[in-house]
Amino acid sequence: MAAALFLTSACYTGLSTMADIPARPPFIDAAAFMQRIGRAQSKLVLTGFDALIVNAGDSLRYFCGVPWQPTERLVALIIPASGMPSVICPHFETGSLSAVLKIKADIRTWEEDENPENAALKGFPTRMRIALDREFTLGTVNRFRRSNPDNTYE
Protein backbone atom coordinates (compact mmCIF):
# COMPACT_ATOMS: atom_id res chain seq x y z
CA MET A 1 0.00 0.00 0.00
CA ALA A 2 2.81 2.45 0.82
CA ALA A 3 4.44 1.84 -2.61
CA ALA A 4 1.17 2.66 -4.35
CA LEU A 5 0.92 5.95 -2.46
CA PHE A 6 4.52 6.80 -3.37
CA LEU A 7 3.90 6.23 -7.10
CA THR A 8 0.71 8.26 -6.98
CA SER A 9 2.48 11.12 -5.21
CA ALA A 10 5.33 11.09 -7.79
CA CYS A 11 2.78 11.09 -10.58
CA TYR A 12 1.06 14.19 -9.22
CA THR A 13 4.40 15.96 -8.83
CA GLY A 14 5.26 15.23 -12.46
CA LEU A 15 1.92 16.52 -13.70
CA SER A 16 2.23 19.79 -11.81
CA THR A 17 5.50 20.62 -13.58
CA MET A 18 4.30 19.88 -17.12
CA ALA A 19 4.07 22.70 -19.66
CA ASP A 20 0.71 23.80 -20.99
CA ILE A 21 -0.67 21.96 -23.97
CA PRO A 22 0.40 23.83 -27.11
CA ALA A 23 -2.21 25.58 -29.23
CA ARG A 24 -3.67 23.75 -32.20
CA PRO A 25 -1.85 24.44 -35.47
CA PRO A 26 -3.61 26.88 -37.79
CA PHE A 27 -6.18 25.57 -40.26
CA ILE A 28 -4.79 25.11 -43.78
CA ASP A 29 -7.20 26.68 -46.24
CA ALA A 30 -7.53 26.31 -50.02
CA ALA A 31 -5.34 29.37 -50.62
CA ALA A 32 -2.46 27.80 -48.67
CA PHE A 33 -2.76 24.57 -50.66
CA MET A 34 -2.78 26.57 -53.90
CA GLN A 35 0.36 28.42 -52.74
CA ARG A 36 2.05 25.06 -52.27
CA ILE A 37 1.01 24.04 -55.79
CA GLY A 38 2.22 27.41 -57.13
CA ARG A 39 5.64 26.88 -55.54
CA ALA A 40 5.80 23.39 -57.06
CA GLN A 41 4.89 24.81 -60.46
CA SER A 42 7.69 27.40 -60.18
CA LYS A 43 10.18 24.63 -59.37
CA LEU A 44 8.91 22.57 -62.32
CA VAL A 45 9.60 25.49 -64.65
CA LEU A 46 13.05 26.11 -63.12
CA THR A 47 14.05 22.46 -63.49
CA GLY A 48 12.59 21.91 -66.97
CA PHE A 49 9.76 19.56 -66.02
CA ASP A 50 6.34 19.75 -67.65
CA ALA A 51 4.42 18.16 -64.79
CA LEU A 52 4.63 16.49 -61.39
CA ILE A 53 2.46 13.48 -60.57
CA VAL A 54 1.87 13.04 -56.84
CA ASN A 55 0.85 9.69 -55.40
CA ALA A 56 -1.81 9.14 -52.74
CA GLY A 57 -0.37 9.43 -49.24
CA ASP A 58 1.49 12.21 -47.44
CA SER A 59 2.30 14.15 -50.62
CA LEU A 60 -1.33 14.19 -51.74
CA ARG A 61 -2.37 15.44 -48.30
CA TYR A 62 0.34 18.13 -48.41
CA PHE A 63 -0.72 19.52 -51.80
CA CYS A 64 -4.50 19.26 -51.65
CA GLY A 65 -5.59 18.06 -48.22
CA VAL A 66 -6.76 14.64 -49.37
CA PRO A 67 -6.17 12.02 -46.64
CA TRP A 68 -5.94 9.11 -49.08
CA GLN A 69 -3.57 6.20 -48.65
CA PRO A 70 -2.01 4.41 -51.63
CA THR A 71 -3.72 1.25 -52.84
CA GLU A 72 -3.52 -0.84 -56.00
CA ARG A 73 -5.89 1.66 -57.68
CA LEU A 74 -4.32 4.86 -58.98
CA VAL A 75 -5.33 8.02 -57.11
CA ALA A 76 -2.97 10.88 -57.89
CA LEU A 77 -2.59 14.63 -58.32
CA ILE A 78 -1.16 15.94 -61.58
CA ILE A 79 0.46 19.36 -61.23
CA PRO A 80 1.29 20.86 -64.63
CA ALA A 81 4.06 23.44 -64.89
CA SER A 82 1.27 25.95 -65.54
CA GLY A 83 -2.48 25.74 -65.29
CA MET A 84 -4.97 24.00 -63.07
CA PRO A 85 -4.06 20.71 -61.38
CA SER A 86 -5.94 17.48 -62.04
CA VAL A 87 -6.83 14.60 -59.77
CA ILE A 88 -7.21 11.07 -61.13
CA CYS A 89 -9.21 8.39 -59.33
CA PRO A 90 -11.42 5.37 -60.04
CA HIS A 91 -14.87 6.52 -61.17
CA PHE A 92 -16.59 4.93 -58.18
CA GLU A 93 -14.42 7.03 -55.81
CA THR A 94 -15.40 10.41 -57.33
CA GLY A 95 -17.86 11.33 -54.54
CA SER A 96 -15.48 10.36 -51.75
CA LEU A 97 -12.59 12.24 -53.33
CA SER A 98 -14.65 15.36 -54.04
CA ALA A 99 -15.79 15.43 -50.41
CA VAL A 100 -12.22 15.76 -49.08
CA LEU A 101 -10.51 17.70 -51.90
CA LYS A 102 -9.49 21.14 -50.60
CA ILE A 103 -8.53 22.74 -53.94
CA LYS A 104 -10.18 23.46 -57.26
CA ALA A 105 -8.98 20.76 -59.65
CA ASP A 106 -10.10 18.92 -62.74
CA ILE A 107 -11.27 15.48 -61.60
CA ARG A 108 -10.41 12.73 -64.08
CA THR A 109 -11.76 9.25 -63.60
CA TRP A 110 -11.15 5.81 -64.97
CA GLU A 111 -13.31 2.71 -65.10
CA GLU A 112 -12.17 -0.74 -64.02
CA ASP A 113 -11.67 -1.84 -67.64
CA GLU A 114 -9.52 1.22 -68.51
CA ASN A 115 -5.83 1.97 -68.10
CA PRO A 116 -5.57 4.56 -65.28
CA GLU A 117 -2.15 5.79 -66.41
CA ASN A 118 -3.60 6.59 -69.86
CA ALA A 119 -6.59 8.32 -68.29
CA ALA A 120 -4.29 10.38 -66.06
CA LEU A 121 -2.44 11.92 -69.00
CA LYS A 122 -5.27 12.04 -71.54
CA GLY A 123 -5.37 15.48 -73.12
CA PHE A 124 -1.81 16.35 -72.12
CA PRO A 125 0.80 16.83 -74.85
CA THR A 126 3.20 14.00 -75.66
CA ARG A 127 6.97 14.12 -75.17
CA MET A 128 6.60 15.60 -71.71
CA ARG A 129 9.23 15.46 -69.00
CA ILE A 130 7.36 14.31 -65.91
CA ALA A 131 8.53 14.20 -62.31
CA LEU A 132 7.04 11.26 -60.41
CA ASP A 133 6.49 11.15 -56.66
CA ARG A 134 9.08 8.85 -55.13
CA GLU A 135 6.30 7.04 -53.29
CA PHE A 136 4.98 5.43 -56.49
CA THR A 137 5.66 1.72 -56.72
CA LEU A 138 7.97 0.47 -59.45
CA GLY A 139 4.94 -1.24 -61.00
CA THR A 140 3.09 2.08 -61.32
CA VAL A 141 6.17 3.80 -62.77
CA ASN A 142 6.53 1.02 -65.33
CA ARG A 143 2.83 1.25 -66.24
CA PHE A 144 3.24 5.00 -66.86
CA ARG A 145 6.26 4.28 -69.06
CA ARG A 146 4.46 1.58 -71.06
CA SER A 147 1.23 3.58 -71.39
CA ASN A 148 2.87 6.81 -72.50
CA PRO A 149 6.31 5.85 -73.89
CA ASP A 150 6.95 9.22 -75.57
CA ASN A 151 7.18 10.90 -72.18
CA THR A 152 10.26 10.95 -69.96
CA TYR A 153 9.59 9.97 -66.32
CA GLU A 154 12.00 10.89 -63.56
Side-chain angles (χ1 to χ4, degrees):
M1 181 80 162
L5 289 176
F6 173 74
L7 292 175
T8 303
S9 175
C11 183
Y12 284 121
T13 302
L15 289 174
S16 67
T17 60
M18 287 178 59
D20 291 336
I21 297 173
R24 293 187 76 142
F27 176 75
I28 302 172
D29 61 8
F33 286 116
M34 290 309 293
Q35 286 177 340
R36 292 174 178 182
I37 289 171
R39 285 193 302 269
Q41 288 176 318
S42 295
K43 297 232 182 210
L44 289 170
V45 170
L46 286 173
T47 54
F49 283 95
D50 298 300
L52 165 65
I53 304 179
V54 176
N55 194 21
D58 293 336
S59 296
L60 191 65
R61 183 185 293 252
Y62 176 81
F63 281 112
C64 60
V66 174
W68 213 278
Q69 293 304 308
T71 67
E72 71 280 358
R73 292 184 172 95
L74 181 67
V75 174
L77 173 68
I78 304 161
I79 302 173
S82 64
M84 187 168 68
S86 301
V87 179
I88 181 81
C89 70
H91 183 72
F92 71 88
E93 294 285 14
T94 305
S96 299
L97 185 72
S98 296
V100 294
L101 187 62
K102 305 288 190 235
I103 62 168
K104 183 175 180 172
D106 175 35
I107 298 179
R108 299 163 176 252
T109 63
W110 55 275
E111 295 289 349
E112 292 294 320
D113 62 341
E114 293 179 303
N115 179 321
E117 290 77 17
N118 274 346
L121 296 175
K122 186 177 183 180
F124 282 95
T126 57
R127 302 193 190 289
M128 293 174 55
R129 183 173 177 223
I130 299 174
L132 292 175
D133 187 343
R134 65 182 178 182
E135 296 298 321
F136 278 117
T137 64
L138 180 59
T140 302
V141 171
N142 286 335
R143 283 190 299 276
F144 269 114
R145 288 182 174 143
R146 282 192 306 271
S147 298
N148 302 277
D150 293 337
N151 294 330
T152 301
Y153 300 94
E154 299 178 39

